[in-house]
Amino acid sequence: MASKLKTAILGATGYSGLELARLLGRHPRTDAPLLLRRSAETDESTTGLPHSSGNGNGYSPIEPFSWSALEQHGVELLFLATPHSVSRELVPEAVARGLRIVDLSGAWRLKQEQNRAVYGFKDADAQIAAELTERAVYGLPELHADRIPSASLVANPGCYATSVILALAPVLSAGIVDCDHGIISDSKSGVSGAGKEPTARTHFVSVADNFSAYSVFGHRHTGEILEQLALNSCQLIFTPHLLPIPRGILSTIYVYLKREMTADEIHNCFHNFYTGKRWVRIFPASHLPEIQFSVYTNYCDLGFCLAKDGRRLVLVSCLDNLLKGAAGQAVQNMNLMYGWDEAEGLQ
Amino acid sequence: MASKLKTAILGATGYSGLELARLLGRHPRTDAPLLLRRSAETDESTTGLPHSSGNGNGYSPIEPFSWSALEQHGVELLFLATPHSVSRELVPEAVARGLRIVDLSGAWRLKQEQNRAVYGFKDADAQIAAELTERAVYGLPELHADRIPSASLVANPGCYATSVILALAPVLSAGIVDCDHGIISDSKSGVSGAGKEPTARTHFVSVADNFSAYSVFGHRHTGEILEQLALNSCQLIFTPHLLPIPRGILSTIYVYLKREMTADEIHNCFHNFYTGKRWVRIFPASHLPEIQFSVYTNYCDLGFCLAKDGRRLVLVSCLDNLLKGAAGQAVQNMNLMYGWDEAEGLQ
Amino acid sequence: MASKLKTAILGATGYSGLELARLLGRHPRTDAPLLLRRSAETDESTTGLPHSSGNGNGYSPIEPFSWSALEQHGVELLFLATPHSVSRELVPEAVARGLRIVDLSGAWRLKQEQNRAVYGFKDADAQIAAELTERAVYGLPELHADRIPSASLVANPGCYATSVILALAPVLSAGIVDCDHGIISDSKSGVSGAGKEPTARTHFVSVADNFSAYSVFGHRHTGEILEQLALNSCQLIFTPHLLPIPRGILSTIYVYLKREMTADEIHNCFHNFYTGKRWVRIFPASHLPEIQFSVYTNYCDLGFCLAKDGRRLVLVSCLDNLLKGAAGQAVQNMNLMYGWDEAEGLQ
Amino acid sequence: MASKLKTAILGATGYSGLELARLLGRHPRTDAPLLLRRSAETDESTTGLPHSSGNGNGYSPIEPFSWSALEQHGVELLFLATPHSVSRELVPEAVARGLRIVDLSGAWRLKQEQNRAVYGFKDADAQIAAELTERAVYGLPELHADRIPSASLVANPGCYATSVILALAPVLSAGIVDCDHGIISDSKSGVSGAGKEPTARTHFVSVADNFSAYSVFGHRHTGEILEQLALNSCQLIFTPHLLPIPRGILSTIYVYLKREMTADEIHNCFHNFYTGKRWVRIFPASHLPEIQFSVYTNYCDLGFCLAKDGRRLVLVSCLDNLLKGAAGQAVQNMNLMYGWDEAEGLQ
């Protein structure tokens, strides 16, 4: 049997990194990943991975990051589950060293300057950064399966963005939406999407029995959605909300159609667009997905209701923000990059 | 001191009836309410009110309903926390007997035939039902404080409807909304809004860690919202969702303005409309209410965010579905009906 | 490669049956299980398994139970995820027909008449029932790995019982516990342990933000624990509680030791007892397992704290009530019955 | 009418301080309390009290603490909702200045040196600290109603301690418990008991769907319980657990009786002990309180189950950790200190 791929995860202490470590730990084509942490991370964050333990004593060690550690372990593919600024800083050298990279941060997702502004990147070498920005492939396999296999730098999409883009791509691509009327995505996410950092906002007592909107007209994922769907900023309102659950995203999306249509036409539109796509499930007309159906899976579930007038369409999109919205999609991208079955290690 | 008002609650075993019993039990102007149940209710539902007990032995008895029981206790004001069909059946005789009524069901809220159709009312005497439908006052005190004091039949609004109408009334009344562009209310409710009946849908395991949309393009509260805001059915999409929390509603509402406006103008619009209204709180621009702020209170909290283009407005409305959305509003209506301070018994 | 085992699940609509269907659906040694329902089950319960769907249209059909259906599909191993009375009724014929059985109900777990009384079994043929009761093997692989491989009828343990027995077996077996002093197991379970039937008790609003004890001095699992640990009813208090979470059990168990001991001695006691046992994890002294560590796994996690006096011991045991407490353990039993690796299909 | 009492709360930003501010804000005998913060508290913690706002603009200001501020406002009674070290530091001067104090921290609850050790107090003047320790009255009104009225320094009990002491005091006082057999309190608390500080432990994702024991054999409240019940440390095991709910405590307590008793005898024991006590509710035999019954009230609910042998007793005690376990009890103490009805401002 062929030797297995050597991978490493930098940032294996956060929710996405942890989930990724679990997925790679049982992936049939990869060795157990090398787990790395940035030197800035406190001791507390280095206690390893309780969930992967066997007999209570098998905590995986998380080593400090260094280029020589990567070299020594023969790492070919590096997963970055780091803040975007760290990712922006490390990727140029990683690429120069011949590593392939799947970056889970927002560092390399955006092509347009005005969308990148919200991140405030400070690049050491602006020209190299510009070249890498150009080369980076947006890692949404359902849209870019042609470019991911040969990519050296894959920018893994945001969790909200994945849920919104996968719901809208079929109807926008079919040209049936009146974009100038305005599209609204009212999106709701579980708390793991807000990261592992303890804050007043993520305290149990603040979240439990509560629900709230945030970052209205200003969430960072808006840029990704606009770019991938070729929309302008007047054509979309994206409103995130915080759900009192650990994981899962549901987006309720409102679009107005150019002409009166039937539910069958809409269903066919989705069905045709996603034929052969392993990780998207289309629900029958008027049967809507719920968060529970997709959590702990790599599926993005899509459903819709059409108004009696045939002109107003409500789309509902569900996924697990740590799987299809992060670590699962990263593995899906790896599978494409190495020519393996898209579902390998994800079932 | 004047003698206290005699009240009764029919349906004191449901969530709204229970909450109402608690409120009336400590209201300074009313005697402890007579608690009644329909004969169809099972023994299990008659175990009384655990929360009102003192020394563990003070469960209030819930008596079977009869007209003579009402008479014997000298009841003047009858609260109905019953299914709409029961309310539709009992109200004609109750009014004929000279009782004043606050009905928490949907039986008497709708003036327009096409909106009532979803309830499928079967009236014993169509003419009397039509007259009562006409006389019934929609019990939203912030809109109808002029008509409630003299009403004999007050139709207490639906919980979702209250949250949507109170958010939209100021901007619609000011004539600044492009209604034909379409208004969207993406609303989310805690589980007590679904009633106390145990169903597959309200099972803890179905709701916890989950979130889902339901009754898209078909929820019964839509008619109330349309009538009270003088909208037609093409101008509003109302989408309810089930939140994994016991109580509270948050509505995120999207409107397009006729002209470019400033946040100050919008704030003034709300401020002016609700001046002197005790139970509505207006938040500063871009500061949004959360469910936690209003649960266990009778407040409806309103906030908004305006897009940079000054044309797209996101409203957020929060309330406790059992208080401002049901029992609290019923007490507020009672206060108006008897000329008392609107806040009596609700602080 | 050898042909795969044919299995069937009767009662595939409950939580345990559903979980079992998922596990068998991806087990490398079994074909997709035949899913069956009792004729008494309503249509609503026959809508199949949403989680196993692919592209939203792949709901597995659940067929009505009949002996001929089993024969026709060549079923060798029958899983019963049925009420105990159904299981008590069907097993005699199933055994007579040469089927092997893993029964997830309480029907065949108890050897002693006084413990069986709480179930009120009504056996058609008392003698056959007595013989089967005798032949049935209590399916706790960590205790009975010698007898399970050849068993035709395996009585899969109760979820609470598994958590208590696995925690106590090592210290009782070592003879270090003062049993007559009394052992206390204060156990807490998530709501899926209460079954899928919607009741007032399992309504979201009853469970959320709540916590309660129930069946004090009277829970059915007590008999299993006593029999397996050879205790009498004066030596154990078992108190179940309902946790506001979907799944998981934690038992806090209090024992008094016969002599002063060290934490190392206690740890060795557990370590030695479970050497080579794949699905039990022992935590270091004073490091306690939490429910989150074991849910969605087949592990039973065990930890302990010893008082300074070396005489009082607190044990903490955690597991997922639907996996190690039900369906996972059923698969573990199947693996032993067919001579496969104990972990097959459970990782 | 008599002028109202002037009070102040230092530490009005924590959960207990916030709750206390709300209670005092509507207490008929007190003016709105002066809200104070320690200079060390960050700006973020000074944003005031969202729940007390009216019309969204009425946030109460929280001023920096100073003795002159207290003097200037004519404060007579000072509530300390501060860390124990702050309380230990401030109380000597506060008493010297003639203020009466209700301290919600653990600073002055313990009379015995060995119990105080866990707090590591560093007193500026050891003799004054010793005198104040002696004078401080443990503020459990059901036990010390004779001494609280004249106290200048009331040490408000811990939340866990209140739940355990109130359950055990009647049976211990009656002399029916075999204390040397050992008493076990398996206690469970909601997350607000862990304080408002965001930590890895209080992060929503750590708590939700989880349950865990902590501080086994080492929780600070153990000393209070031992002292108030005159037990020694070998006679009690107290095990706290963290519940995935915002508020509420349930303690399940196991005691062995000296002789066989009946349920009636036990019930009478509780009934007699708490006759005339407004804030304790006794449940009928075998009817157990649940957390939902007492949250948002100042009640401590007590219930029990007796084994058939009449020798083993399970007690269940429930309360709201922020009310009867903290702020509510502080108000109850204030009521006694000023000769008012014990229920004033708490209904």
Side-chain angles (χ1 to χ4, degrees):
Chain A
M1 186 175 184
S3 71
K4 293 187 172 184
L5 183 70
K6 308 281 188 202
T7 64
I9 304 170
L10 177 54
T13 58
Y15 292 128
S16 297
L18 194 62
E19 199 73 29
L20 188 55
R22 279 182 218 157
L23 290 174
L24 293 177
R26 62 186 201 208
H27 194 288
R29 305 269 191 170
T30 63
D31 276 333
L34 175 66
L35 305 182
L36 299 169
R37 61 181 166 92
R38 290 170 295 138
S39 53
E41 290 180 290
T42 65
D43 289 312
E44 193 186 7
S45 65
T46 65
T47 46
L49 306 167
H51 290 248
S52 64
S53 66
N55 286 309
N57 55 8
Y59 292 96
S60 308
I62 301 189
E63 300 175 20
F65 170 82
S66 71
W67 295 112
S68 58
L70 292 175
E71 223 167 276
Q72 193 183 324
H73 285 78
V75 169
E76 296 170 59
L77 175 62
L78 173 63
F79 291 94
L80 294 175
T82 45
H84 54 82
S85 57
V86 173
S87 177
R88 196 81 185 175
E89 183 193 329
L90 293 179
V91 161
E93 177 154 1
V95 169
R97 284 169 174 270
L99 290 162
R100 297 183 84 179
I101 294 151
V102 175
D103 176 26
L104 281 78
S105 85
W108 306 97
R109 294 175 191 155
L110 299 162
K111 304 294 184 199
Q112 296 170 22
E113 177 55 33
Q114 81 265 27
N115 292 327
R116 276 199 304 278
V118 291
Y119 285 98
F121 295 134
K122 287 169 192 159
D123 298 312
D125 185 321
Q127 195 184 334
I128 290 177
E131 284 168 21
L132 285 170
T133 297
E134 200 51 45
R135 277 173 61 185
V137 175
Y138 191 77
L140 193 56
E142 287 75 17
L143 296 192
H144 301 300
D146 54 335
R147 300 180 53 213
I148 293 167
S150 59
S152 54
L153 171 57
V154 170
N156 213 57
C159 49
Y160 275 126
T162 300
S163 89
V164 180
I165 296 168
L166 289 177
L168 283 169
V171 288
L172 289 175
S173 154
I176 60 179
V177 174
D178 180 357
C179 296
D180 289 332
H181 194 105
I183 296 168
I184 287 162
S185 181
D186 192 282
S187 298
K188 302 88 175 174
S189 172
V191 185
S192 57
K196 208 172 177 177
E197 190 69 29
T199 64
R201 227 181 113 58
T202 58
H203 193 295
F204 182 83
V205 177
S206 299
V207 176
D209 297 344
N210 199 10
F211 182 70
S212 57
Y214 64 98
S215 300
V216 183
F217 294 118
H219 193 278
R220 281 174 177 167
H221 287 186
T222 313
E224 292 175 48
I225 302 170
L226 296 178
E227 289 192 10
Q228 292 298 317
L229 297 174
L231 295 170
N232 68 54
S233 65
C234 289
Q235 292 173 322
L236 177 77
I237 300 178
F238 165 57
T239 311
H241 298 73
L242 189 65
L243 278 170
I245 63 175
R247 56 202 285 170
I249 284 180
L250 184 148
S251 292
T252 313
I253 304 173
Y254 301 86
V255 301
Y256 291 81
L257 302 175
K258 287 180 180 167
R259 60 172 179 88
E260 197 178 324
M261 297 184 73
T262 67
D264 276 356
E265 287 178 294
I266 302 295
H267 189 269
N268 286 340
C269 175
F270 280 97
H271 186 76
N272 296 339
F273 193 88
Y274 288 120
T275 296
K277 300 301 181 187
R278 179 68 177 76
W279 292 116
V280 174
R281 295 192 290 205
I282 313 302
F283 279 55
S286 303
H287 284 75
L288 296 179
E290 305 183 7
I291 277 187
Q292 265 189 356
F293 300 165
S294 54
V295 281
Y296 297 105
T297 82
N298 194 51
Y299 287 112
C300 177
D301 284 343
L302 299 176
F304 71 92
C305 288
L306 184 65
K308 280 184 194 159
D309 61 21
R311 297 295 292 267
R312 294 173 297 161
L313 181 63
V314 176
L315 306 173
V316 172
S317 167
C318 289
L319 53 79
D320 184 320
N321 56 301
L322 296 181
L323 289 170
K324 184 60 177 167
Q329 188 139 275
V331 169
Q332 198 181 344
N333 278 314
M334 176 185 72
N335 289 340
L336 290 180
M337 290 167 82
Y338 290 89
W340 305 328
D341 186 293
E342 211 173 3
E344 199 90 76
L346 288 170
Q347 277 160 314
Chain B
M1 187 175 179
S3 71
K4 294 187 173 184
L5 183 70
K6 308 280 189 201
T7 65
I9 304 171
L10 177 56
T13 58
Y15 292 128
S16 297
L18 194 61
E19 198 74 27
L20 187 55
R22 281 182 218 155
L23 290 175
L24 293 176
R26 63 185 199 207
H27 194 288
R29 305 268 192 173
T30 63
D31 275 335
L34 177 66
L35 305 183
L36 299 169
R37 61 182 168 91
R38 291 169 293 138
S39 53
E41 291 179 290
T42 65
D43 288 313
E44 193 186 8
S45 66
T46 65
T47 46
L49 307 167
H51 289 248
S52 65
S53 65
N55 286 310
N57 56 9
Y59 293 95
S60 309
I62 301 189
E63 300 176 20
F65 171 81
S66 72
W67 294 113
S68 58
L70 291 175
E71 222 167 278
Q72 191 183 326
H73 285 78
V75 170
E76 297 171 58
L77 175 62
L78 174 63
F79 291 93
L80 294 175
T82 45
H84 53 83
S85 58
V86 174
S87 177
R88 196 82 185 174
E89 183 193 331
L90 293 179
V91 161
E93 177 153 0
V95 169
R97 285 169 175 269
L99 289 162
R100 297 182 84 178
I101 295 150
V102 175
D103 176 26
L104 281 77
S105 85
W108 307 96
R109 294 176 191 155
L110 298 162
K111 304 295 184 197
Q112 298 170 20
E113 178 56 32
Q114 82 265 29
N115 292 327
R116 276 199 305 277
V118 292
Y119 285 99
F121 296 133
K122 288 168 189 160
D123 298 313
D125 185 320
Q127 194 183 335
I128 289 178
E131 284 170 20
L132 284 170
T133 297
E134 200 51 45
R135 276 174 59 188
V137 175
Y138 190 77
L140 192 56
E142 287 75 17
L143 296 192
H144 302 300
D146 55 334
R147 301 180 53 213
I148 294 167
S150 60
S152 54
L153 172 56
V154 169
N156 213 56
C159 49
Y160 276 127
T162 300
S163 89
V164 180
I165 296 168
L166 289 178
L168 283 170
V171 288
L172 289 175
S173 155
I176 60 178
V177 173
D178 181 357
C179 295
D180 289 332
H181 194 105
I183 296 168
I184 288 162
S185 182
D186 192 280
S187 297
K188 302 90 176 173
S189 172
V191 185
S192 58
K196 208 172 176 178
E197 190 69 31
T199 65
R201 224 181 115 58
T202 59
H203 193 294
F204 183 84
V205 178
S206 300
V207 176
D209 297 344
N210 199 10
F211 182 71
S212 58
Y214 64 99
S215 300
V216 183
F217 294 118
H219 193 278
R220 281 172 176 169
H221 287 186
T222 313
E224 291 176 47
I225 301 171
L226 296 177
E227 290 193 9
Q228 292 298 317
L229 297 175
L231 295 170
N232 68 55
S233 66
C234 290
Q235 292 173 322
L236 177 77
I237 301 177
F238 165 59
T239 311
H241 299 75
L242 189 65
L243 276 171
I245 63 175
R247 57 203 283 170
I249 284 180
L250 183 148
S251 292
T252 313
I253 304 173
Y254 300 86
V255 302
Y256 292 80
L257 302 176
K258 287 180 181 167
R259 61 171 177 87
E260 196 179 325
M261 296 184 74
T262 67
D264 276 356
E265 286 179 295
I266 302 296
H267 189 269
N268 286 340
C269 175
F270 280 96
H271 186 77
N272 295 339
F273 193 87
Y274 288 120
T275 296
K277 299 301 181 188
R278 180 65 178 80
W279 292 116
V280 174
R281 294 191 291 205
I282 313 302
F283 279 54
S286 302
H287 285 75
L288 297 178
E290 306 184 7
I291 277 187
Q292 264 189 357
F293 300 164
S294 54
V295 283
Y296 297 106
T297 81
N298 195 51
Y299 287 111
C300 176
D301 284 342
L302 300 176
F304 71 92
C305 289
L306 184 65
K308 278 185 195 159
D309 61 19
R311 297 293 293 267
R312 294 174 296 161
L313 180 65
V314 176
L315 306 173
V316 172
S317 166
C318 290
L319 52 77
D320 184 319
N321 57 301
L322 296 180
L323 289 170
K324 184 59 178 168
Q329 188 139 273
V331 169
Q332 198 182 344
N333 278 314
M334 175 185 74
N335 289 339
L336 290 179
M337 290 166 83
Y338 290 88
W340 305 329
D341 186 293
E342 211 174 0
E344 199 91 78
L346 288 171
Q347 278 160 314
Chain C
M1 188 177 179
S3 71
K4 294 187 172 184
L5 183 71
K6 308 280 189 202
T7 65
I9 304 171
L10 177 56
T13 58
Y15 292 128
S16 296
L18 193 62
E19 199 74 28
L20 188 55
R22 281 183 218 155
L23 290 175
L24 293 176
R26 62 185 199 209
H27 194 288
R29 304 269 192 172
T30 62
D31 276 334
L34 176 66
L35 305 183
L36 299 169
R37 61 183 168 89
R38 292 169 293 137
S39 53
E41 290 179 290
T42 65
D43 289 315
E44 192 186 8
S45 66
T46 64
T47 47
L49 306 167
H51 290 248
S52 65
S53 65
N55 287 310
N57 55 8
Y59 293 97
S60 308
I62 301 189
E63 300 176 19
F65 171 83
S66 72
W67 295 113
S68 59
L70 292 175
E71 221 167 278
Q72 190 183 327
H73 286 77
V75 170
E76 297 171 57
L77 175 62
L78 173 63
F79 291 94
L80 295 175
T82 45
H84 53 82
S85 57
V86 175
S87 176
R88 196 82 185 174
E89 184 193 330
L90 293 180
V91 161
E93 178 154 0
V95 169
R97 285 170 175 268
L99 288 163
R100 298 182 83 180
I101 294 150
V102 175
D103 176 25
L104 281 77
S105 86
W108 306 97
R109 294 176 190 154
L110 298 162
K111 304 295 184 199
Q112 297 170 22
E113 177 56 33
Q114 80 264 29
N115 293 327
R116 276 200 304 277
V118 292
Y119 285 98
F121 296 133
K122 286 168 191 159
D123 297 313
D125 184 320
Q127 194 183 333
I128 289 178
E131 283 169 21
L132 284 170
T133 297
E134 200 51 46
R135 275 174 60 188
V137 175
Y138 190 77
L140 192 55
E142 287 74 18
L143 296 192
H144 302 301
D146 56 333
R147 301 180 53 214
I148 294 166
S150 59
S152 54
L153 172 55
V154 170
N156 213 57
C159 49
Y160 276 127
T162 300
S163 88
V164 180
I165 296 167
L166 289 178
L168 282 169
V171 288
L172 289 174
S173 154
I176 60 178
V177 173
D178 180 357
C179 295
D180 289 333
H181 194 104
I183 296 168
I184 288 161
S185 182
D186 192 281
S187 297
K188 302 89 176 174
S189 172
V191 185
S192 58
K196 208 172 176 178
E197 190 70 30
T199 65
R201 224 180 115 58
T202 59
H203 193 295
F204 182 84
V205 177
S206 299
V207 177
D209 297 343
N210 199 10
F211 182 71
S212 57
Y214 64 97
S215 300
V216 183
F217 295 118
H219 194 277
R220 280 172 176 168
H221 287 186
T222 313
E224 293 175 46
I225 301 171
L226 296 177
E227 289 193 10
Q228 292 298 316
L229 297 175
L231 295 171
N232 67 54
S233 66
C234 291
Q235 293 173 321
L236 177 76
I237 301 178
F238 165 58
T239 311
H241 298 75
L242 189 64
L243 278 172
I245 62 176
R247 57 203 284 170
I249 284 180
L250 183 148
S251 292
T252 313
I253 304 173
Y254 301 86
V255 302
Y256 292 81
L257 302 175
K258 287 181 181 166
R259 60 170 178 87
E260 196 179 325
M261 296 184 75
T262 67
D264 276 356
E265 286 179 294
I266 302 296
H267 189 268
N268 287 339
C269 175
F270 280 97
H271 187 76
N272 295 339
F273 194 89
Y274 288 120
T275 295
K277 300 300 182 189
R278 179 66 177 81
W279 292 116
V280 174
R281 293 190 292 204
I282 314 301
F283 279 54
S286 302
H287 284 75
L288 297 178
E290 306 184 7
I291 278 187
Q292 264 189 357
F293 300 164
S294 54
V295 283
Y296 297 105
T297 81
N298 194 51
Y299 287 112
C300 176
D301 284 342
L302 300 176
F304 71 92
C305 289
L306 184 65
K308 279 185 195 158
D309 61 19
R311 297 293 293 267
R312 295 173 297 162
L313 181 63
V314 176
L315 305 173
V316 172
S317 167
C318 290
L319 53 77
D320 184 319
N321 57 301
L322 295 180
L323 289 170
K324 184 59 179 168
Q329 188 140 270
V331 169
Q332 198 182 344
N333 278 314
M334 175 186 74
N335 288 339
L336 290 179
M337 291 166 83
Y338 289 89
W340 306 328
D341 186 292
E342 211 174 1
E344 199 89 78
L346 288 171
Q347 279 160 315
Chain D
M1 186 176 182
S3 71
K4 294 187 173 183
L5 183 69
K6 307 281 188 201
T7 65
I9 303 171
L10 177 56
T13 57
Y15 292 129
S16 296
L18 194 61
E19 199 74 27
L20 188 55
R22 279 181 219 157
L23 290 174
L24 293 177
R26 63 187 200 207
H27 194 288
R29 305 271 192 170
T30 62
D31 275 333
L34 176 65
L35 305 182
L36 300 169
R37 61 181 167 93
R38 291 170 293 138
S39 52
E41 291 180 289
T42 65
D43 290 313
E44 194 186 7
S45 66
T46 64
T47 46
L49 306 167
H51 290 249
S52 64
S53 65
N55 287 310
N57 55 7
Y59 292 96
S60 308
I62 301 189
E63 299 176 21
F65 171 82
S66 71
W67 295 113
S68 58
L70 292 175
E71 222 166 276
Q72 193 183 326
H73 286 78
V75 170
E76 296 171 59
L77 175 62
L78 173 63
F79 291 94
L80 294 175
T82 45
H84 54 81
S85 58
V86 173
S87 177
R88 196 80 185 176
E89 184 193 330
L90 293 179
V91 160
E93 177 154 0
V95 170
R97 285 170 175 270
L99 289 162
R100 297 183 83 179
I101 294 151
V102 175
D103 176 26
L104 281 77
S105 85
W108 306 97
R109 294 176 190 154
L110 299 162
K111 303 295 184 198
Q112 297 170 22
E113 177 56 32
Q114 81 265 28
N115 292 327
R116 276 199 304 277
V118 292
Y119 285 98
F121 296 134
K122 285 168 191 160
D123 297 312
D125 184 320
Q127 194 183 333
I128 290 177
E131 283 169 21
L132 285 170
T133 297
E134 200 50 46
R135 277 172 60 186
V137 175
Y138 190 77
L140 193 56
E142 287 75 17
L143 296 192
H144 301 301
D146 54 335
R147 300 181 53 215
I148 293 167
S150 60
S152 54
L153 172 56
V154 170
N156 212 57
C159 48
Y160 276 126
T162 299
S163 89
V164 180
I165 296 167
L166 289 177
L168 283 169
V171 288
L172 289 174
S173 154
I176 60 179
V177 174
D178 181 357
C179 295
D180 289 332
H181 194 104
I183 297 168
I184 287 162
S185 181
D186 192 281
S187 298
K188 301 88 174 174
S189 172
V191 185
S192 58
K196 207 173 177 177
E197 190 70 29
T199 64
R201 225 181 116 56
T202 58
H203 193 294
F204 182 84
V205 177
S206 299
V207 176
D209 296 344
N210 199 10
F211 182 70
S212 58
Y214 64 98
S215 301
V216 183
F217 295 119
H219 193 278
R220 280 174 176 166
H221 288 185
T222 313
E224 291 174 48
I225 302 170
L226 296 178
E227 288 193 10
Q228 292 297 317
L229 297 174
L231 295 170
N232 68 53
S233 65
C234 290
Q235 293 173 323
L236 177 76
I237 300 178
F238 165 57
T239 310
H241 299 73
L242 189 65
L243 278 170
I245 63 175
R247 56 203 285 171
I249 284 180
L250 184 148
S251 291
T252 313
I253 303 174
Y254 301 86
V255 301
Y256 291 81
L257 302 174
K258 287 180 180 167
R259 60 171 178 87
E260 197 178 324
M261 297 183 74
T262 67
D264 276 356
E265 286 178 294
I266 302 295
H267 190 268
N268 286 339
C269 174
F270 280 97
H271 186 77
N272 295 339
F273 193 87
Y274 288 120
T275 296
K277 300 300 181 188
R278 179 66 177 79
W279 292 116
V280 174
R281 294 191 292 204
I282 313 301
F283 279 54
S286 301
H287 284 74
L288 297 178
E290 306 183 6
I291 277 187
Q292 265 189 356
F293 299 165
S294 54
V295 283
Y296 297 105
T297 82
N298 195 51
Y299 286 112
C300 177
D301 284 343
L302 299 175
F304 71 92
C305 288
L306 184 65
K308 279 184 194 160
D309 61 20
R311 297 293 292 268
R312 294 173 297 162
L313 181 63
V314 176
L315 306 173
V316 172
S317 167
C318 289
L319 53 79
D320 184 320
N321 57 301
L322 296 181
L323 289 170
K324 184 60 177 168
Q329 187 139 274
V331 169
Q332 198 181 345
N333 278 314
M334 175 185 73
N335 289 339
L336 290 179
M337 290 167 83
Y338 290 89
W340 305 329
D341 186 293
E342 211 173 2
E344 198 91 77
L346 289 170
Q347 278 159 316

